[in-house]
PDB file of all heavy atoms in Angstrom:
ATOM      1  N   LEU A  31     -48.608  13.461  70.039  1.00  0.00           N
ATOM      2  CA  LEU A  31     -48.142  12.143  69.622  1.00  0.00           C
ATOM      3  C   LEU A  31     -49.384  11.280  69.494  1.00  0.00           C
ATOM      4  O   LEU A  31     -50.042  10.974  70.498  1.00  0.00           O
ATOM      5  CB  LEU A  31     -47.156  11.551  70.626  1.00  0.00           C
ATOM      6  CG  LEU A  31     -46.511  10.225  70.226  1.00  0.00           C
ATOM      7  CD1 LEU A  31     -45.819  10.334  68.875  1.00  0.00           C
ATOM      8  CD2 LEU A  31     -45.533   9.764  71.281  1.00  0.00           C
ATOM      9  N   ALA A  32     -49.697  10.949  68.256  1.00  0.00           N
ATOM     10  CA  ALA A  32     -50.950  10.263  67.932  1.00  0.00           C
ATOM     11  C   ALA A  32     -52.101  11.139  68.415  1.00  0.00           C
ATOM     12  O   ALA A  32     -52.174  12.296  68.041  1.00  0.00           O
ATOM     13  CB  ALA A  32     -50.965   8.866  68.515  1.00  0.00           C
ATOM     14  N   ASP A  33     -52.971  10.629  69.265  1.00  0.00           N
ATOM     15  CA  ASP A  33     -54.122  11.431  69.710  1.00  0.00           C
ATOM     16  C   ASP A  33     -53.929  11.947  71.137  1.00  0.00           C
ATOM     17  O   ASP A  33     -54.897  12.279  71.814  1.00  0.00           O
ATOM     18  CB  ASP A  33     -55.410  10.632  69.586  1.00  0.00           C
ATOM     19  CG  ASP A  33     -55.395   9.352  70.415  1.00  0.00           C
ATOM     20  OD1 ASP A  33     -54.314   8.990  70.913  1.00  0.00           O
ATOM     21  OD2 ASP A  33     -56.452   8.724  70.558  1.00  0.00           O
ATOM     22  N   GLU A  34     -52.678  12.040  71.583  1.00  0.00           N
ATOM     23  CA  GLU A  34     -52.394  12.512  72.934  1.00  0.00           C
ATOM     24  C   GLU A  34     -51.481  13.736  72.885  1.00  0.00           C
ATOM     25  O   GLU A  34     -50.717  13.919  71.946  1.00  0.00           O
ATOM     26  CB  GLU A  34     -51.686  11.429  73.748  1.00  0.00           C
ATOM     27  CG  GLU A  34     -52.505  10.183  73.953  1.00  0.00           C
ATOM     28  CD  GLU A  34     -51.712   9.117  74.703  1.00  0.00           C
ATOM     29  OE1 GLU A  34     -50.468   9.168  74.742  1.00  0.00           O
ATOM     30  OE2 GLU A  34     -52.358   8.229  75.255  1.00  0.00           O
ATOM     31  N   VAL A  35     -51.562  14.548  73.926  1.00  0.00           N
ATOM     32  CA  VAL A  35     -50.622  15.655  74.101  1.00  0.00           C
ATOM     33  C   VAL A  35     -49.634  15.242  75.180  1.00  0.00           C
ATOM     34  O   VAL A  35     -50.023  14.763  76.238  1.00  0.00           O
ATOM     35  CB  VAL A  35     -51.357  16.956  74.501  1.00  0.00           C
ATOM     36  CG1 VAL A  35     -50.357  18.060  74.779  1.00  0.00           C
ATOM     37  CG2 VAL A  35     -52.345  17.369  73.419  1.00  0.00           C
ATOM     38  N   HIS A  36     -48.359  15.410  74.883  1.00  0.00           N
ATOM     39  CA  HIS A  36     -47.295  15.071  75.825  1.00  0.00           C
ATOM     40  C   HIS A  36     -46.557  16.339  76.209  1.00  0.00           C
ATOM     41  O   HIS A  36     -46.548  17.312  75.463  1.00  0.00           O
ATOM     42  CB  HIS A  36     -46.309  14.090  75.179  1.00  0.00           C
ATOM     43  CG  HIS A  36     -46.905  12.754  74.911  1.00  0.00           C
ATOM     44  ND1 HIS A  36     -46.559  11.640  75.617  1.00  0.00           N
ATOM     45  CD2 HIS A  36     -47.838  12.351  74.010  1.00  0.00           C
ATOM     46  CE1 HIS A  36     -47.248  10.605  75.173  1.00  0.00           C
ATOM     47  NE2 HIS A  36     -48.029  11.006  74.194  1.00  0.00           N
ATOM     48  N   ILE A  37     -45.901  16.306  77.340  1.00  0.00           N
ATOM     49  CA  ILE A  37     -45.063  17.416  77.767  1.00  0.00           C
ATOM     50  C   ILE A  37     -43.775  16.828  78.317  1.00  0.00           C
ATOM     51  O   ILE A  37     -43.799  15.828  79.034  1.00  0.00           O
ATOM     52  CB  ILE A  37     -45.787  18.318  78.784  1.00  0.00           C
ATOM     53  CG1 ILE A  37     -45.001  19.585  79.012  1.00  0.00           C
ATOM     54  CG2 ILE A  37     -46.086  17.591  80.067  1.00  0.00           C
ATOM     55  CD1 ILE A  37     -45.823  20.707  79.637  1.00  0.00           C
ATOM     56  N   ALA A  38     -42.651  17.457  77.935  1.00  0.00           N
ATOM     57  CA  ALA A  38     -41.356  16.927  78.345  1.00  0.00           C
ATOM     58  C   ALA A  38     -40.398  18.073  78.645  1.00  0.00           C
ATOM     59  O   ALA A  38     -40.419  19.098  77.962  1.00  0.00           O
ATOM     60  CB  ALA A  38     -40.781  16.050  77.234  1.00  0.00           C
ATOM     61  N   PRO A  39     -39.560  17.905  79.653  1.00  0.00           N
ATOM     62  CA  PRO A  39     -38.549  18.925  79.936  1.00  0.00           C
ATOM     63  C   PRO A  39     -37.443  18.855  78.880  1.00  0.00           C
ATOM     64  O   PRO A  39     -37.057  17.763  78.456  1.00  0.00           O
ATOM     65  CB  PRO A  39     -38.027  18.525  81.317  1.00  0.00           C
ATOM     66  CG  PRO A  39     -38.272  17.056  81.399  1.00  0.00           C
ATOM     67  CD  PRO A  39     -39.502  16.782  80.582  1.00  0.00           C
ATOM     68  N   ILE A  40     -36.967  20.017  78.460  1.00  0.00           N
ATOM     69  CA  ILE A  40     -35.842  20.070  77.523  1.00  0.00           C
ATOM     70  C   ILE A  40     -34.942  21.247  77.880  1.00  0.00           C
ATOM     71  O   ILE A  40     -35.385  22.216  78.491  1.00  0.00           O
ATOM     72  CB  ILE A  40     -36.293  20.209  76.044  1.00  0.00           C
ATOM     73  CG1 ILE A  40     -37.062  21.507  75.820  1.00  0.00           C
ATOM     74  CG2 ILE A  40     -37.087  19.006  75.579  1.00  0.00           C
ATOM     75  CD1 ILE A  40     -37.319  21.838  74.352  1.00  0.00           C
ATOM     76  N   ASN A  41     -33.685  21.135  77.512  1.00  0.00           N
ATOM     77  CA  ASN A  41     -32.833  22.312  77.554  1.00  0.00           C
ATOM     78  C   ASN A  41     -32.763  22.831  76.113  1.00  0.00           C
ATOM     79  O   ASN A  41     -32.886  22.065  75.159  1.00  0.00           O
ATOM     80  CB  ASN A  41     -31.473  22.023  78.175  1.00  0.00           C
ATOM     81  CG  ASN A  41     -30.680  21.025  77.394  1.00  0.00           C
ATOM     82  OD1 ASN A  41     -31.094  19.878  77.279  1.00  0.00           O
ATOM     83  ND2 ASN A  41     -29.564  21.445  76.854  1.00  0.00           N
ATOM     84  N   TYR A  42     -32.598  24.137  75.971  1.00  0.00           N
ATOM     85  CA  TYR A  42     -32.754  24.762  74.661  1.00  0.00           C
ATOM     86  C   TYR A  42     -31.842  25.981  74.564  1.00  0.00           C
ATOM     87  O   TYR A  42     -31.239  26.416  75.541  1.00  0.00           O
ATOM     88  CB  TYR A  42     -34.212  25.192  74.452  1.00  0.00           C
ATOM     89  CG  TYR A  42     -34.581  26.383  75.307  1.00  0.00           C
ATOM     90  CD1 TYR A  42     -34.585  27.668  74.777  1.00  0.00           C
ATOM     91  CD2 TYR A  42     -34.872  26.237  76.664  1.00  0.00           C
ATOM     92  CE1 TYR A  42     -34.880  28.767  75.579  1.00  0.00           C
ATOM     93  CE2 TYR A  42     -35.170  27.326  77.452  1.00  0.00           C
ATOM     94  CZ  TYR A  42     -35.175  28.586  76.914  1.00  0.00           C
ATOM     95  OH  TYR A  42     -35.448  29.670  77.694  1.00  0.00           O
TER      96      TYR A  42
END
Side-chain angles (χ1 to χ4, degrees):
L31 185 55
D33 60 349
E34 297 177 340
V35 176
H36 293 251
I37 190 162
I40 62 170
N41 63 296
Y42 72 99

